[in-house]
Amino acid sequence: MSVRFAIIGAGVMGADHARIVAEDLPGAELRLICDASAPRARAVAEAHGAPHATTDPAAAIARDDIDAVIVASPDFTHAPLVLACIAAGKPVLCEKPLSQSPIECVQVMQAESDAGRSFVQLGFMRRYDRSYGEMRAALRAGTLGRALMMHNIHRNVEIPAADFTGAMAITNSAPHEFDVIRFVLDTDFTAISAWQARRSDSLVAPVLMVLETADGQLVNIEVNNNAAYGYDVRGELVGERGAISLIAPSYSRLDADLRQSTTHDPDWRPRYGEAYRRQDRAFLDFVRTGRFPAHGSDCWDGYAAAVVAEAGARALRQGTRVTVDMIEKPAFYAQRKEFAE
Amino acid sequence: MSVRFAIIGAGVMGADHARIVAEDLPGAELRLICDASAPRARAVAEAHGAPHATTDPAAAIARDDIDAVIVASPDFTHAPLVLACIAAGKPVLCEKPLSQSPIECVQVMQAESDAGRSFVQLGFMRRYDRSYGEMRAALRAGTLGRALMMHNIHRNVEIPAADFTGAMAITNSAPHEFDVIRFVLDTDFTAISAWQARRSDSLVAPVLMVLETADGQLVNIEVNNNAAYGYDVRGELVGERGAISLIAPSYSRLDADLRQSTTHDPDWRPRYGEAYRRQDRAFLDFVRTGRFPAHGSDCWDGYAAAVVAEAGARALRQGTRVTVDMIEKPAFYAQRKEFAE
Amino acid sequence: MSVRFAIIGAGVMGADHARIVAEDLPGAELRLICDASAPRARAVAEAHGAPHATTDPAAAIARDDIDAVIVASPDFTHAPLVLACIAAGKPVLCEKPLSQSPIECVQVMQAESDAGRSFVQLGFMRRYDRSYGEMRAALRAGTLGRALMMHNIHRNVEIPAADFTGAMAITNSAPHEFDVIRFVLDTDFTAISAWQARRSDSLVAPVLMVLETADGQLVNIEVNNNAAYGYDVRGELVGERGAISLIAPSYSRLDADLRQSTTHDPDWRPRYGEAYRRQDRAFLDFVRTGRFPAHGSDCWDGYAAAVVAEAGARALRQGTRVTVDMIEKPAFYAQRKEFAE
Amino acid sequence: MSVRFAIIGAGVMGADHARIVAEDLPGAELRLICDASAPRARAVAEAHGAPHATTDPAAAIARDDIDAVIVASPDFTHAPLVLACIAAGKPVLCEKPLSQSPIECVQVMQAESDAGRSFVQLGFMRRYDRSYGEMRAALRAGTLGRALMMHNIHRNVEIPAADFTGAMAITNSAPHEFDVIRFVLDTDFTAISAWQARRSDSLVAPVLMVLETADGQLVNIEVNNNAAYGYDVRGELVGERGAISLIAPSYSRLDADLRQSTTHDPDWRPRYGEAYRRQDRAFLDFVRTGRFPAHGSDCWDGYAAAVVAEAGARALRQGTRVTVDMIEKPAFYAQRKEFAE
Ligand SMILES: [Mg+2]
Ligand SMILES: [Mg+2]
Ligand SMILES: [Mg+2]
Ligand SMILES: [Mg+2]
């Protein structure tokens, strides 16, 4: 039988998931689109052949003909909607962040633990990107020796929002980095320092972070939301014997006008299109089997991202190194990891 | 309703198509696997959840519960099976070649023309490769100026068959090049010359071809079936103002042991996995709508590949330049192209 | 007339300068090699055709048949020898550092200022490297917009010295980075933070620094003295509109064994051979004309490198951000810069 | 003592050699510039500090204060001037071609053989290029296995001359390819075929050649004199186990305007500047020692290039494969090769 999906949130990400579920997920059926804006919900539903549209997320989650939920609504709604899914006993793929509040993340973990089985996968899709996958595999294969450092760069063409701040670069943009670095290194952050450069215009200037890990690694991250020249994510993992770098695939090389060039993407979708597809397939498999995906991001990972983001924003505000203090990992999540790998 | 597929031929390519239809083609249903070997048919059917397996292709094509056919059986069976599909009124995706015999290709064209509608798409999947797509788009956009030359390289790690010959490099391996070059340049070949290098061992040595086109372009092709170092397809299109080259995507770069390196694939599947997927989706859309895919390869293209391959094999044998003599393009195929673009 | 050179110090760097002066500096004559070890002085003198060898640097500097001096002796001797050259009225190219002590640098600046003309060029040869030159030119041409960040990586295969420390990575290895970054950005550092990763063996672990500049830029530097895989210097300058990265030139690309690769150098000499040659030629021109080279590194630059290195070592030791406090730029050096550009 | 140079021909190449001799060849002295145009001779002499200028090449060669000659005058004067140098007992570095007439090359070989010692080095400077050097070294080291094919591309931005022809692309531009391919493969050509593409404008269209060697290799060469986008020389050597490609060094990579790019040179000088320098140094060493440079190009190499160029022009004109018929290698040249390697 097909797995019947509801998607809550019909913005850019919600519409993308709708397209994937409708066109790229054999065994899935796109059944309902929910959005605060009824016309927007209807538009996405029609575009991708979903028979139902609504503005009521609680009702959507509760429907008998819905087996699984994707949450892509505004950030502050994520945790409440995820809790509703857990209460309804329905698996949910929640776009990052689970919550920007570590406490709220703890509440969700408690609910999931109490329920006694896994319901929540987070949309940290980079874990399904081939480049990060090869990086992680090289580390585990011993090719690089033990990990020592990781250099990370995240650049967008622009952030149109006039009120975007350096703190938001840490809390809104950097969590993808925080999560995938933890995924690659398989350790946790212990401290973070942060700086912001100075631009000559009113756009938000890039933020630079240095993080320390429990295993003695150093990690730096540039988040540059107005890089102008293209969408560009870079990463290098440096080990005791070698190093490995991400390559953003290009498909052709042009020789013209005294230059040889490849193109940069204007936004993240070409770069991570395949990762989203693989992530959503892993979620479908999770729904079908009940087994949490080996490489999936769970609530504990969402909590970890929230804690380090909060510490990073504080480090930037105070101009000091801030320690990252996490609760002990709940047994529910600790056990699953052992099971998963 | 789902489109119900039969796959004839359960070798490497047939199994690959079975996997795509079963796992990667929403709206398609893998219903039957047919192979001369009953155990092989059953094995592929079981691996991908097809409910039926058979050794009788005619019966497979005739079944009421089959809407579309993929032919991936030995080359000499392609044309007869395609004719059977046309007779049964069932769309067919036929692995290349349609036939190595131009005359047999003409017979299939006649049958399809007589049927009055399109049934046959050929498996020249490179037309769905992103790199060739960008090359073709750059030419059409005027970025390069008018096309002047195309340099093409096709390398396999090895051809295990002890009796593989230089002529077979032209008739079996090069047709993918012939077709995609015609697709990119949108013209036809008028002459071909061919040489074979000399190896120090008993493996088949690489073949080099130079082709001339009706529009005054020069094309060279290396087919190197025992390149040893990796599967490697390269291509460059040179225009009057610029040039564009294919890039085989890599996902990470390793620094180790005084070298910086990326990997080569051991065979063609990683390189063209996405192209196969997009080709099979285009075929599914063809089945549903009846409209031949804009970028699809049809029987005329199969005929063109067969004629140039035959001329190339003769050029190699005789050591002379051989003209490529094609019949006039049948109205059935000429009209569709105008319609399609 | 030829310019007659004495080289003080016959180690790796001294021998390299001897070779350049003897073989690659038309208009220069290699006249004398001085080293604390008489056999070593004689060996280098013979290898490169210098008629004289000595163990007495003061006498070497004083000789009537010496017009210019290159100092490549141990670090602690640099400042005293430079002072002797100034006193003798002889131009000197001094390998970095001028001194690790800022106070000693101030003393040399005082002596040079008092002498009323320029005598001292420092061996920060990266200013003559083509890659950094293109980076600096792109910034000045406005291609990148205003500078925002600079990412820098310095990796050696290994530091054999068992007693090499993280502090020494900052004071001995990083000064090349400090100087060339100031050269590219044309500004000064205001603060530095530093961390050291943890290795699993007894080798010195990499150090990571974050520096802030007077113009609001952020700069990070990795100094990794036991990178194992190769000598590798990387740098990226990020501006408000674009970014530019160094490329370490490679001359051929190998396809073999399922990999495509280029080579890494085992040490710095291939990478900077051309920069040393161009630096030494600029010094020869300085000797002949009396005009300090437009791109040359002077005692003020040596002082700046010493101050930031000292602050960096303190930042690493204390685990805190340390401000970089420099004296006001002496008029002697401030004026020349205005003249030079 | 310094080696005193006369340079005959004060065009682009002559001026370049004058600069190298004057500024980049320790132990050489630029003494005389000779050109049919007295003002041009004087201008180059003054620019590079040569004390003498003349319009009489015979007198220049005869002068007592001239030890060595560089010939960079128009092509048709090369052989007569080289003969004059041999007659005068003076070593000569002659720009390619020695002559476009194989018979004239034979006459020069006869004169040099009769003189009983080597006088003539040809300006096939690519033999001193690092990229070709690494390619040749990889072949000799066995890394690639036995050579099978070589793909070569030569592109200029433009050939302004309105009367440049496809035949001239073979006789004037391709000889650098012919020589360096023979140098890398260490074999001779046995046959050549040639085609010319068709342009839409009046510029000379690219020529494509396929050459066969005595050792069973296949070689193709594109000579594209109006490539528009940049000066670009490419080459790949394919062996039985691997392949190696030339890389034209770049020094920085720019990210701007949704593209990542490196630059192409507008002409050949940046690409081969270092090769010219190394070639001229090898010639200086030849003058001093009398030993012909191990990697130098001699009159036999000049003859080989002339024979294949003549055959290639005929192949293009006739549209047929033309065999390359060479005389037996004179003992004078055969013996030296054995000595040299
Ligand atoms: Mg996401
Ligand atoms: Mg195929
Ligand atoms: Mg130095
Ligand atoms: Mg030349």
Side-chain angles (χ1 to χ4, degrees):
Chain A
M1 279 295 58
S2 278
V3 173
R4 297 161 298 178
F5 275 75
I7 294 181
I8 303 178
V12 174
M13 286 308 313
D16 253 28
H17 283 293
R19 183 187 48 73
I20 293 171
V21 172
E23 299 173 21
D24 231 337
L25 224 51
E29 181 189 341
L30 182 66
R31 194 129 190 96
L32 179 149
I33 305 293
C34 173
D35 195 277
S37 153
R40 194 159 58 179
R42 271 199 307 275
V44 172
E46 273 166 36
H48 299 291
H52 303 288
T54 178
T55 60
D56 180 350
I61 292 167
R63 286 174 70 119
D64 278 352
D65 64 346
I66 293 300
D67 304 312
V69 179
I70 295 179
V71 171
S73 45
D75 288 7
F76 72 91
T77 67
H78 289 186
L81 291 171
V82 164
L83 287 169
C85 289
I86 294 170
K90 301 207 175 159
V92 56
L93 174 65
C94 179
E95 269 303 311
K96 65 95 205 169
L98 175 54
S99 167
Q100 289 192 9
S101 154
I103 291 171
E104 202 171 35
C105 294
V106 170
Q107 292 164 349
V108 177
M109 285 193 284
Q110 190 61 53
E112 192 176 31
S113 302
D114 290 349
R117 54 148 289 192
S118 293
F119 287 101
V120 190
Q121 182 180 351
L122 297 185
F124 285 119
M125 78 293 175
R126 288 197 194 175
R127 293 175 174 229
Y128 293 94
D129 174 70
R130 279 188 61 159
S131 292
Y132 283 109
E134 293 186 2
M135 180 181 274
R136 185 170 180 267
L139 180 59
R140 296 187 156 221
T143 311
L144 314 171
R146 188 178 147 269
L148 288 173
M149 285 175 292
M150 202 166 156
H151 303 303
N152 305 275
I153 288 176
H154 177 102
R155 294 177 186 155
N156 286 96
V157 171
E158 59 178 347
I159 286 285
D163 55 352
F164 201 88
T165 65
M168 289 165 73
I170 298 175
T171 56
N172 294 23
S173 306
H176 276 301
E177 310 293 330
F178 298 148
D179 183 72
V180 82
I181 294 164
R182 287 179 64 249
F183 174 67
V184 168
L185 294 178
D186 198 21
T187 184
D188 277 303
F189 297 117
T190 56
I192 183 168
S193 307
W195 301 257
Q196 189 168 18
R198 196 161 71 224
R199 283 190 72 104
S200 63
D201 50 32
S202 61
L203 298 171
V204 65
V207 165
L208 184 66
M209 287 162 264
V210 173
L211 296 100
E212 303 158 55
T213 78
D215 288 350
Q217 288 109 2
L218 297 174
V219 172
N220 60 305
I221 305 175
E222 172 199 323
V223 175
N224 187 354
N225 291 112
N226 290 286
Y229 73 78
Y231 179 78
D232 200 4
V233 169
R234 303 185 192 177
E236 186 193 20
L237 171 60
V238 185
E240 296 187 350
R241 287 207 305 274
I244 187 168
S245 299
L246 310 177
I247 298 178
S250 292
Y251 301 92
S252 63
R253 182 181 292 115
L254 181 69
D255 292 295
D257 301 322
L258 294 177
R259 301 200 81 88
Q260 177 169 95
S261 65
T262 55
T263 54
H264 281 298
D265 295 326
D267 66 39
W268 77 94
R269 278 172 292 182
R271 176 71 176 83
Y272 288 116
E274 175 73 6
Y276 278 112
R277 200 169 71 95
R278 293 169 70 185
Q279 169 191 268
D280 289 8
R281 288 182 171 221
F283 176 63
L284 175 62
D285 197 58
F286 170 36
V287 175
R288 279 171 165 157
T289 65
R291 282 194 304 276
F292 194 78
H295 289 186
S297 187
D298 64 19
C299 291
W300 172 253
D301 299 314
Y303 167 75
V307 172
V308 69
E310 193 179 65
R314 191 143 56 86
L316 180 64
R317 196 167 61 240
Q318 299 178 347
T320 59
R321 173 180 180 275
V322 170
T323 58
V324 175
D325 293 313
M326 290 170 68
I327 62 170
E328 200 182 347
K329 190 169 185 174
F332 179 84
Y333 298 97
Q335 284 156 13
R336 188 173 56 212
K337 276 295 178 204
E338 279 171 33
F339 170 78
E341 306 274 339
Chain B
M1 281 290 54
S2 278
V3 172
R4 298 162 297 179
F5 275 75
I7 294 181
I8 302 178
V12 175
M13 287 308 313
D16 253 28
H17 283 293
R19 183 187 47 73
I20 293 171
V21 171
E23 298 173 22
D24 231 337
L25 224 51
E29 182 189 342
L30 183 65
R31 196 131 188 94
L32 180 149
I33 304 292
C34 173
D35 196 276
S37 151
R40 193 158 59 179
R42 271 198 308 274
V44 172
E46 273 165 37
H48 300 290
H52 304 287
T54 178
T55 59
D56 180 349
I61 292 167
R63 285 174 71 118
D64 278 352
D65 64 347
I66 293 300
D67 303 312
V69 178
I70 295 179
V71 171
S73 46
D75 288 6
F76 73 91
T77 67
H78 288 186
L81 290 171
V82 164
L83 285 168
C85 289
I86 294 171
K90 301 207 175 161
V92 57
L93 173 65
C94 179
E95 268 303 312
K96 65 96 202 167
L98 175 53
S99 166
Q100 289 193 8
S101 152
I103 289 171
E104 203 172 33
C105 293
V106 170
Q107 290 164 350
V108 177
M109 286 194 283
Q110 189 61 54
E112 192 175 30
S113 301
D114 289 350
R117 56 147 289 193
S118 293
F119 287 100
V120 189
Q121 182 179 352
L122 297 185
F124 285 119
M125 78 293 174
R126 290 196 192 175
R127 293 176 174 229
Y128 293 93
D129 174 69
R130 279 188 60 161
S131 292
Y132 283 110
E134 293 186 2
M135 180 179 274
R136 185 169 180 267
L139 180 60
R140 295 187 157 220
T143 310
L144 314 171
R146 187 176 147 270
L148 287 173
M149 283 174 294
M150 203 165 157
H151 303 303
N152 304 275
I153 288 175
H154 177 102
R155 295 178 187 154
N156 287 95
V157 170
E158 59 178 348
I159 287 285
D163 55 352
F164 201 88
T165 64
M168 289 165 74
I170 298 175
T171 55
N172 294 25
S173 306
H176 276 301
E177 310 293 329
F178 298 148
D179 184 71
V180 81
I181 295 164
R182 286 180 64 249
F183 175 65
V184 168
L185 294 179
D186 198 22
T187 184
D188 277 304
F189 298 118
T190 55
I192 183 168
S193 307
W195 300 257
Q196 188 168 19
R198 196 161 69 224
R199 284 190 73 104
S200 63
D201 50 30
S202 61
L203 297 171
V204 66
V207 166
L208 183 66
M209 288 162 262
V210 173
L211 296 101
E212 303 158 54
T213 78
D215 289 350
Q217 287 110 2
L218 297 173
V219 172
N220 59 304
I221 306 174
E222 171 198 325
V223 175
N224 188 353
N225 291 112
N226 289 286
Y229 74 78
Y231 179 78
D232 200 4
V233 170
R234 303 185 191 177
E236 186 192 22
L237 171 60
V238 184
E240 296 186 350
R241 286 207 304 276
I244 187 167
S245 299
L246 310 177
I247 298 178
S250 292
Y251 301 92
S252 63
R253 182 181 293 114
L254 180 69
D255 292 295
D257 301 322
L258 294 177
R259 302 200 80 88
Q260 177 170 94
S261 64
T262 55
T263 54
H264 281 297
D265 295 326
D267 67 38
W268 76 94
R269 277 173 291 181
R271 176 71 176 83
Y272 287 116
E274 175 75 6
Y276 277 111
R277 201 169 70 97
R278 293 169 71 184
Q279 169 191 268
D280 289 7
R281 288 182 171 221
F283 176 63
L284 176 61
D285 197 60
F286 169 37
V287 175
R288 278 170 165 157
T289 64
R291 282 193 304 277
F292 195 78
H295 290 185
S297 187
D298 63 20
C299 291
W300 172 253
D301 299 315
Y303 167 75
V307 172
V308 69
E310 192 179 65
R314 191 144 53 89
L316 180 64
R317 197 168 58 241
Q318 299 178 348
T320 58
R321 173 182 181 272
V322 170
T323 58
V324 176
D325 294 312
M326 291 170 68
I327 62 170
E328 199 181 349
K329 191 170 184 174
F332 179 84
Y333 298 97
Q335 283 155 15
R336 186 171 60 210
K337 276 296 176 201
E338 278 172 35
F339 170 77
E341 307 273 338
Chain C
M1 281 292 57
S2 279
V3 173
R4 296 162 300 180
F5 275 76
I7 294 180
I8 303 178
V12 174
M13 286 306 314
D16 253 28
H17 283 294
R19 183 187 48 74
I20 292 171
V21 172
E23 299 172 22
D24 231 337
L25 225 50
E29 183 190 340
L30 182 66
R31 195 129 190 97
L32 181 149
I33 304 293
C34 173
D35 196 277
S37 152
R40 194 159 57 178
R42 271 198 308 275
V44 172
E46 272 165 36
H48 300 290
H52 303 288
T54 179
T55 60
D56 180 350
I61 292 168
R63 287 175 68 119
D64 278 352
D65 64 346
I66 293 300
D67 304 311
V69 179
I70 295 179
V71 171
S73 45
D75 288 6
F76 72 91
T77 67
H78 288 186
L81 291 170
V82 163
L83 286 169
C85 289
I86 294 171
K90 302 208 174 159
V92 56
L93 174 66
C94 179
E95 268 303 312
K96 66 96 202 168
L98 175 54
S99 167
Q100 289 192 8
S101 153
I103 291 172
E104 203 172 33
C105 292
V106 169
Q107 291 163 350
V108 177
M109 285 193 283
Q110 189 61 52
E112 192 175 30
S113 301
D114 289 350
R117 54 147 290 192
S118 294
F119 287 101
V120 190
Q121 182 180 352
L122 297 185
F124 285 120
M125 78 294 173
R126 289 197 192 174
R127 293 175 175 229
Y128 293 94
D129 174 70
R130 279 188 61 161
S131 292
Y132 284 109
E134 294 186 3
M135 180 180 273
R136 187 171 179 264
L139 180 60
R140 296 188 155 220
T143 310
L144 315 171
R146 187 176 148 270
L148 287 174
M149 283 175 294
M150 202 164 155
H151 303 304
N152 304 275
I153 288 175
H154 177 102
R155 294 177 186 155
N156 287 96
V157 170
E158 58 178 348
I159 286 286
D163 55 352
F164 202 89
T165 64
M168 289 165 73
I170 298 175
T171 56
N172 294 25
S173 307
H176 276 301
E177 310 293 330
F178 298 148
D179 183 71
V180 82
I181 295 164
R182 286 180 64 249
F183 174 67
V184 167
L185 294 179
D186 199 22
T187 184
D188 277 305
F189 298 118
T190 55
I192 182 168
S193 307
W195 300 257
Q196 188 168 19
R198 195 162 70 224
R199 283 190 73 104
S200 62
D201 51 30
S202 62
L203 298 172
V204 66
V207 166
L208 183 66
M209 289 162 262
V210 172
L211 296 101
E212 303 159 53
T213 78
D215 289 350
Q217 288 110 3
L218 297 174
V219 172
N220 59 304
I221 305 175
E222 171 198 325
V223 175
N224 188 353
N225 291 112
N226 290 287
Y229 73 78
Y231 179 78
D232 200 3
V233 170
R234 303 185 192 177
E236 186 192 22
L237 172 59
V238 185
E240 296 186 349
R241 287 207 303 275
I244 187 168
S245 299
L246 310 177
I247 299 178
S250 292
Y251 301 92
S252 63
R253 182 180 293 115
L254 181 68
D255 293 295
D257 300 323
L258 293 177
R259 302 201 81 87
Q260 177 170 95
S261 64
T262 56
T263 54
H264 281 296
D265 295 327
D267 67 39
W268 76 94
R269 278 172 291 181
R271 176 71 177 79
Y272 288 117
E274 175 75 6
Y276 278 112
R277 200 169 71 95
R278 293 169 70 184
Q279 169 191 267
D280 289 7
R281 289 181 173 223
F283 177 63
L284 176 61
D285 196 58
F286 170 36
V287 176
R288 279 171 165 157
T289 64
R291 282 193 305 276
F292 195 77
H295 289 184
S297 186
D298 64 19
C299 292
W300 172 253
D301 299 315
Y303 167 76
V307 172
V308 69
E310 193 179 64
R314 191 143 55 87
L316 180 64
R317 197 167 57 241
Q318 299 178 347
T320 59
R321 173 182 181 272
V322 170
T323 58
V324 176
D325 293 313
M326 291 170 68
I327 62 170
E328 199 182 348
K329 190 169 185 175
F332 179 83
Y333 298 96
Q335 284 155 13
R336 188 174 54 212
K337 276 294 178 204
E338 280 172 32
F339 170 77
E341 306 274 339
Chain D
M1 283 290 59
S2 279
V3 172
R4 298 162 297 178
F5 276 75
I7 293 180
I8 302 178
V12 173
M13 287 308 312
D16 253 28
H17 283 293
R19 183 187 48 73
I20 293 171
V21 172
E23 299 172 22
D24 231 338
L25 224 50
E29 182 190 341
L30 182 65
R31 195 130 189 95
L32 179 148
I33 305 293
C34 173
D35 195 278
S37 152
R40 194 159 58 180
R42 271 198 307 274
V44 172
E46 272 166 37
H48 300 290
H52 303 288
T54 179
T55 59
D56 181 351
I61 292 168
R63 285 175 69 118
D64 277 354
D65 64 345
I66 292 301
D67 304 313
V69 178
I70 295 179
V71 171
S73 45
D75 288 6
F76 72 90
T77 68
H78 289 184
L81 291 170
V82 164
L83 286 169
C85 289
I86 294 171
K90 301 206 175 162
V92 55
L93 174 64
C94 179
E95 269 302 314
K96 65 97 205 168
L98 175 54
S99 167
Q100 289 193 7
S101 153
I103 291 172
E104 202 171 33
C105 293
V106 169
Q107 291 164 349
V108 176
M109 285 194 283
Q110 189 60 54
E112 193 175 30
S113 302
D114 290 349
R117 55 149 289 193
S118 293
F119 287 101
V120 190
Q121 182 180 351
L122 297 186
F124 285 118
M125 78 294 174
R126 289 196 192 176
R127 293 176 174 228
Y128 293 94
D129 174 69
R130 279 188 61 161
S131 292
Y132 284 109
E134 293 185 2
M135 180 179 273
R136 186 169 179 267
L139 180 59
R140 295 185 157 223
T143 311
L144 314 172
R146 187 177 148 270
L148 287 174
M149 284 175 293
M150 201 167 159
H151 303 303
N152 305 274
I153 289 176
H154 177 102
R155 294 178 187 155
N156 287 96
V157 171
E158 59 177 347
I159 287 286
D163 55 351
F164 201 89
T165 65
M168 291 165 73
I170 298 174
T171 56
N172 295 24
S173 306
H176 276 301
E177 310 293 331
F178 298 148
D179 183 71
V180 82
I181 295 165
R182 286 181 64 249
F183 175 67
V184 168
L185 294 179
D186 199 21
T187 185
D188 278 303
F189 298 117
T190 55
I192 182 168
S193 306
W195 300 257
Q196 188 168 18
R198 196 161 70 225
R199 283 190 72 104
S200 62
D201 51 30
S202 61
L203 298 171
V204 65
V207 166
L208 183 66
M209 287 162 264
V210 173
L211 295 101
E212 303 158 54
T213 79
D215 288 350
Q217 288 109 2
L218 297 173
V219 172
N220 59 304
I221 306 175
E222 172 199 324
V223 175
N224 188 353
N225 291 112
N226 290 286
Y229 74 77
Y231 179 79
D232 200 3
V233 170
R234 303 185 191 175
E236 185 192 23
L237 172 60
V238 184
E240 296 187 350
R241 286 207 305 275
I244 187 168
S245 299
L246 310 177
I247 299 179
S250 292
Y251 301 92
S252 64
R253 182 181 293 114
L254 181 69
D255 292 297
D257 301 322
L258 294 177
R259 300 201 82 86
Q260 176 168 97
S261 64
T262 55
T263 54
H264 281 297
D265 295 325
D267 66 39
W268 76 95
R269 278 173 292 181
R271 176 70 177 80
Y272 287 116
E274 175 74 6
Y276 277 112
R277 201 169 71 95
R278 294 169 70 185
Q279 169 191 268
D280 289 8
R281 288 182 172 221
F283 176 63
L284 176 62
D285 197 59
F286 170 36
V287 175
R288 279 170 164 157
T289 64
R291 281 195 304 276
F292 195 78
H295 289 183
S297 187
D298 64 19
C299 291
W300 172 253
D301 299 314
Y303 167 76
V307 172
V308 69
E310 193 179 65
R314 191 142 56 86
L316 180 64
R317 196 169 57 241
Q318 299 177 347
T320 59
R321 173 180 180 275
V322 170
T323 58
V324 175
D325 293 312
M326 291 170 69
I327 62 170
E328 200 182 348
K329 191 169 185 175
F332 179 84
Y333 298 97
Q335 284 156 13
R336 186 172 58 211
K337 276 295 177 204
E338 278 171 35
F339 170 77
E341 307 272 341

